[in-house]
């Protein structure tokens, strides 16, 4: 039976571990942060329902560690699937006694830290929660005494509006080279307390959907990673905690640091080699954040050109023929916002990579930096800064290209707006011209109808009287007595024939009026279509 020995812990560290659900309020060095921790915890609690899984036995936290096995450094990996796995992984055997719950047995820490440890906080997307529970994350952060500022970088996940959180960016650091807090000095865990901590976020673009018809017009997605790194300047142990939607960063490290012997490019034998390996890890992240922007911008260029190219074509035969549909304006605006987002994200990456280089240059220039390996670390930082500058320069080149694309997009959008305004003005002119024609025709018809009406009014009474008296309803006898005879039967016959004829005449007049009206409207609509415009439907 293997006996697991407890690692002696400072009282402050023990108290912090026992109250891990209150992180960061009970962090060992919480006093140095002041009242800002209260507001930070409030922001954290407001987001907890959207930021975490709620089931303790349904989590996924990938772990990758560099450990010394029989004098050889090996890379191991595992997935923590329950909160119990998290406790076992950090070596926490502290639990109540079954016979007496008021008493506890076991130890809070039984495993020293590996030489290098990666913790990946994965999620399906920036909109999805992290695949861990709140307690599991707080236990990990408390056990490693992670600087509280890292919480702000994790709050970008589980968001309602992913694109808005892309606007958040920053770089935070904390360095302790002398007189570390006693609660952070834990030799059994390979922690000297002389360390630096940094947290920042980097954003990269990745291909989301191919376009089989046009390889240049594809859908891309910006991925955001929240990165925390701590390095102990005396023991050489390193910790990386990486918020990683869609496991993009995890996949890269799976290729660079596969399970098994450590690749030749990474060394962990001395503090200097561990420091150099940490800088190389930064370069992996820097390359990830600068890789695909060129292809993304190329895709935006192709999309914008496809939408706006018709607006640049000149039709000398008909200057008023519409070459751009009104919906193109909405699509161009959407692409312009994408270009703006691209410029903003790349600029943020440039600032963060620049801050990262400045931090390490200031670190090795600090007079309190360990003198035993300051020269070797300065050389390592110099090489790191030179390599990092190449990624920064590449990002600046793409920012310049995207800025030029933004200007082109704005200019072409102005052309589209001008064309739509010209088309609208021409359409209004055509409508006014047709309305004027209708008005003139109506005036002529009104005059004609007025003349006919007057003549009809003059002739209608005598015509009716003469017609009526010429029937057999009333007869005048010329027998010298001037007698007048009235025939009831003839009157009935006159009514029976006359009234149906009136009805038929009115129906015929109404049908003829509708036919002529539709014929005129169709002729007007044809003129509009020949000019390239749509005739208003309510007028037809």
């Amino acid at each position: 039976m293997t006996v697991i020995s407890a690692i002696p812990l400072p009282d402050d560290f023990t108290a912090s571990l026992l109250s891990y659900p209150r992180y960061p309020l009970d962090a060992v060095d919480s006093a140095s942060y002041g009242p800002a921790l209260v507001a930070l915890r409030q922001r954290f609690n407001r987001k907890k329902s959207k930021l975490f899984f709620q089931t303790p036995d349904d989590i996924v936290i990938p772990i990758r560690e560099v450990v010394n096995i029989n004098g050889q450094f090996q890379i191991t990996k595992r997935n923590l699937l329950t909160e119990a796995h998290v406790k076992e992984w950090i070596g926490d055997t502290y639990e109540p006694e079954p016979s007496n719950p008021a008493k506890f047995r076991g130890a809070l820490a039984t495993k020293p830290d590996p030489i290098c440890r990666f913790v990946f906080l994965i999620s399906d997307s920036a909109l999805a929660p992290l695949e861990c529970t709140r307690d599991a994350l707080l236990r990990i952060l408390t056990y490693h005494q992670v600087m509280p500022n890292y919480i702000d970088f994790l709050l970008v996940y589980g968001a309602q509006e992913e694109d808005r959180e892309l606007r958040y960016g920053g770089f935070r650091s904390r360095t302790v080279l002398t007189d570390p807090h006693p609660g952070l000095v834990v030799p059994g865990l390979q922690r000297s307390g002389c360390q630096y901590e940094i947290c920042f976020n980097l954003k990269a673009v990745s291909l989301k959907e191919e376009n089989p018809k046009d390889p240049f017009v594809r859908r891309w997605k910006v991925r955001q990673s929240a990165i925390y790194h701590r390095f102990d300047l005396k023991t050489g142990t390193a910790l990386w905690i990486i918020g990683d939607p869609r496991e993009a960063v995890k996949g890269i490290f799976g290729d660079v640091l596969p399970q098994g012997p450590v690749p030749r490019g990474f060394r962990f034998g001395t503090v200097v080699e561990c420091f150099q390996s940490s800088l190389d890890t930064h370069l992996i992240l820097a390359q990830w954040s600068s890789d695909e922007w060129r292809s993304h911008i190329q895709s935006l260029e192709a999309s914008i050109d496809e939408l706006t190219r018709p607006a640049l074509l000149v039709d000398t035969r008909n200057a008023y023929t519409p070459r751009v549909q009104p919906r193109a304006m909405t699509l161009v605006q959407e692409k312009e916002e994408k270009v703006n987002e691209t410029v903003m994200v790349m600029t943020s990456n440039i600032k963060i990579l620049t801050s990262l280089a400045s931090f390490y240059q200031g670190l090795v220039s600090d007079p309190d930096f360990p003198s035993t390996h300051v020269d070797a670390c300065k050389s390592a930082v110099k090489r790191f800064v030179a390599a990092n500058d190449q990624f920064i320069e590449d990002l600046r080149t793409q920012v310049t290209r995207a800025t030029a694309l933004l200007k082109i997009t704005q200019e072409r959008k102005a052309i589209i707006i001008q064309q739509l305004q010209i088309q609208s003005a021409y359409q209004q002119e055509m409508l006014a011209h047709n309305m004027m024609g209708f008005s003139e025709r109506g005036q002529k018809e009104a005059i004609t109808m007025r003349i006919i009406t007057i003549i009809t009014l003059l002739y209608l009474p005598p015509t009716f009287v003469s017609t009526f008296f010429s029937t057999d309803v009333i007869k005048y006898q010329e027998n010298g007595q001037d007698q007048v005879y009235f025939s009831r039967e003839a009157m009935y016959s006159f009514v029976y024939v006359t009234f149906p004829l009136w009805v038929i005449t009115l129906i015929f007049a109404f049908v003829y009026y509708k036919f002529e009206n539709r014929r005129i409207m169709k002729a007007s609509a044809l003129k509009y279509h020949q000019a390239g415009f749509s005739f208003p439907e309510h007028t037809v």
Side-chain angles (χ1 to χ4, degrees):
M1 178 178 179
T2 303
V3 178
I4 301 177
S5 58
I7 294 177
L9 303 176
D11 293 340
D12 289 344
F13 188 53
T14 299
S16 180
L17 289 178
L18 291 174
S19 60
Y20 76 89
R22 285 175 47 81
Y23 176 90
L25 299 181
D26 288 348
V28 171
D29 203 14
S30 59
S32 62
Y33 291 93
L37 292 186
V38 177
L40 181 61
R41 183 174 171 82
Q42 289 175 347
R43 293 196 298 273
F44 182 71
N45 287 336
R46 285 198 300 267
K47 198 72 177 290
K48 63 182 180 181
S49 61
K50 299 177 181 178
L51 190 58
F52 301 106
F53 277 11
Q54 305 302 319
T55 307
D57 294 333
D58 186 23
I59 65 176
V60 181
I61 305 178
I63 304 294
R64 191 173 293 268
E65 296 177 336
V66 179
V67 296
N68 191 337
I69 301 177
N70 299 324
Q72 185 179 8
F73 289 104
Q74 299 279 334
I75 297 174
T76 63
K77 65 176 184 178
R78 65 175 296 187
N79 289 331
L80 307 179
L81 304 179
T82 66
E83 290 185 358
H85 287 175
V86 176
K87 282 192 64 178
E88 178 269 328
W89 167 65
I90 62 177
D92 183 353
T93 61
Y94 194 72
E95 60 183 2
E97 291 186 359
S99 59
N100 187 0
K103 293 185 178 181
F104 290 82
R105 66 182 182 183
L108 291 171
T110 59
K111 297 179 180 179
D113 292 345
I115 196 67
C116 185
R117 169 175 284 168
F118 293 89
V119 180
F120 297 97
L121 304 176
I122 63 174
S123 66
D124 284 340
S125 69
L127 297 176
L130 299 174
E131 296 186 13
C132 68
T133 61
R134 179 176 180 272
D135 277 2
L137 178 64
L138 292 182
R139 189 184 292 275
I140 292 173
L141 298 181
T142 303
Y143 179 78
H144 294 97
Q145 290 297 304
V146 174
M147 61 189 300
N149 305 90
Y150 184 56
I151 289 179
D152 269 331
F153 292 90
L154 291 178
L155 294 182
V156 301
Y157 303 121
Q160 292 181 346
E161 294 290 342
E162 183 176 0
D163 291 340
R164 290 182 182 177
E165 292 298 343
L166 289 176
R167 302 168 190 168
Y168 179 77
F171 181 90
R172 305 287 185 272
S173 64
R174 180 176 172 83
T175 304
V176 178
L177 298 179
T178 58
D179 301 324
H181 192 290
L184 297 175
V185 180
V186 191
L189 293 179
Q190 300 296 315
R191 302 181 192 176
S192 69
C194 294
Q195 61 188 23
Y196 65 83
E197 298 175 275
I198 53 177
C199 57
F200 54 94
N201 58 355
L202 287 173
K203 308 173 187 74
V205 67
S206 59
L207 185 61
K208 185 176 182 179
E209 184 179 339
E210 288 278 2
N211 187 343
K213 295 182 179 179
D214 190 344
F216 294 107
V217 181
R218 298 176 290 183
R219 293 184 62 191
W220 296 80
K221 189 67 178 176
V222 177
R223 310 290 184 191
Q224 181 169 197
S225 64
I227 302 164
Y228 168 83
H229 175 52
R230 185 189 72 206
F231 186 83
D232 193 300
L233 291 167
K234 290 189 176 180
T235 64
T237 56
L239 170 67
W240 296 85
I241 302 178
I242 302 176
D244 186 20
R246 306 292 294 180
E247 304 183 41
V249 179
K250 174 178 172 289
I252 293 174
F253 280 102
D255 296 333
V256 177
L257 296 173
Q259 187 174 12
V262 173
R264 292 183 179 181
F266 291 85
R267 293 186 176 86
F268 299 93
T270 64
V271 173
V272 173
E273 290 178 345
C274 292
F275 183 74
Q276 290 174 338
S277 296
S278 288
L279 295 179
D280 290 339
T281 303
H282 280 301
L283 292 178
I284 293 173
L285 294 170
Q287 183 175 7
W288 170 74
S289 69
S290 62
D291 255 356
E292 293 290 346
W293 292 108
R294 178 182 177 184
S295 299
H296 176 47
I297 295 173
Q298 188 177 30
S299 178
L300 287 173
E301 288 173 339
S303 299
I304 292 171
D305 187 70
E306 182 179 352
L307 288 172
T308 60
R309 174 62 62 181
L312 304 180
L313 301 177
V314 178
D315 188 351
T316 56
R317 294 173 298 177
N318 189 354
Y320 300 105
T321 300
R323 296 184 295 275
V324 178
Q325 297 300 322
R327 173 160 169 74
M329 185 65 194
T330 304
L331 297 175
V332 172
Q333 179 65 34
E334 179 184 341
K335 295 300 180 182
E336 181 182 358
E337 292 176 1
K338 284 291 184 182
V339 177
N340 269 317
E341 173 190 285
T342 300
V343 172
M344 177 195 66
V345 171
M346 290 192 296
T347 303
S348 174
N349 282 351
I350 290 172
K351 291 179 179 179
I352 290 170
L353 293 179
T354 302
S355 298
L356 187 64
S358 299
F359 168 78
Y360 277 108
Q361 287 174 325
L363 177 69
V364 295
S365 300
D366 193 305
D368 293 326
F369 192 86
S371 57
T372 54
H373 40 260
V374 62
D375 292 334
C377 288
K378 281 185 176 180
S379 299
V381 168
K382 185 177 180 180
R383 291 192 296 270
F384 163 75
V385 171
N388 190 64
D389 284 345
Q390 294 181 8
F391 298 120
I392 293 175
E393 187 59 33
D394 184 51
L395 284 171
R396 285 175 177 161
T397 300
Q398 301 309 323
V399 167
T400 302
R401 181 178 180 180
T403 304
L405 176 60
L406 181 61
K407 184 177 179 181
I408 292 173
T409 304
Q410 292 170 344
E411 291 174 349
R412 292 191 178 183
K413 187 173 72 172
I415 295 175
I416 292 174
I417 293 174
Q418 185 180 18
Q419 285 195 2
L420 292 176
Q421 289 174 342
I422 293 174
Q423 293 169 17
S424 177
Y426 180 64
Q427 186 175 13
Q428 293 297 325
E429 182 182 351
M430 290 291 295
L431 181 60
H433 178 74
N434 284 332
M435 292 303 296
M436 185 180 297
F438 293 153
S439 177
E440 291 177 355
R441 185 181 303 170
Q443 290 177 0
K444 294 179 181 179
E445 291 178 355
I447 294 172
T448 304
M449 290 304 297
R450 191 175 305 166
I451 295 172
I452 294 174
T453 301
I454 293 173
I455 296 174
T456 302
L457 291 175
L458 291 174
Y459 283 94
L460 184 60
T463 302
F464 175 76
V465 170
S466 63
T467 303
F468 184 77
F469 280 97
S470 65
T471 64
D472 290 336
V473 177
I474 298 176
K475 287 186 177 182
Y476 291 92
Q477 297 295 330
E478 298 179 357
N479 55 6
Q481 298 179 2
D482 292 335
Q483 293 181 345
V484 178
Y485 295 93
F486 175 76
S487 174
R488 187 181 300 274
E489 294 298 328
M491 181 64 183
Y492 288 158
S493 299
F494 176 80
V495 172
Y496 293 155
V497 174
T498 302
F499 276 91
L501 286 176
W502 283 348
V503 173
I504 293 173
T505 302
L506 291 175
I507 292 175
F508 175 77
F510 178 76
V511 172
Y512 181 75
Y513 168 78
K514 297 296 292 184
F515 172 77
E516 283 295 312
N517 185 63
R518 185 170 295 276
R519 183 183 64 80
I520 294 171
M521 292 302 176
K522 285 184 177 180
S524 299
L526 180 60
K527 292 181 180 180
Y528 268 76
H529 289 305
Q530 288 175 347
F533 298 103
S534 59
F535 191 72
E537 293 294 335
H538 64 275
T539 62
V540 177

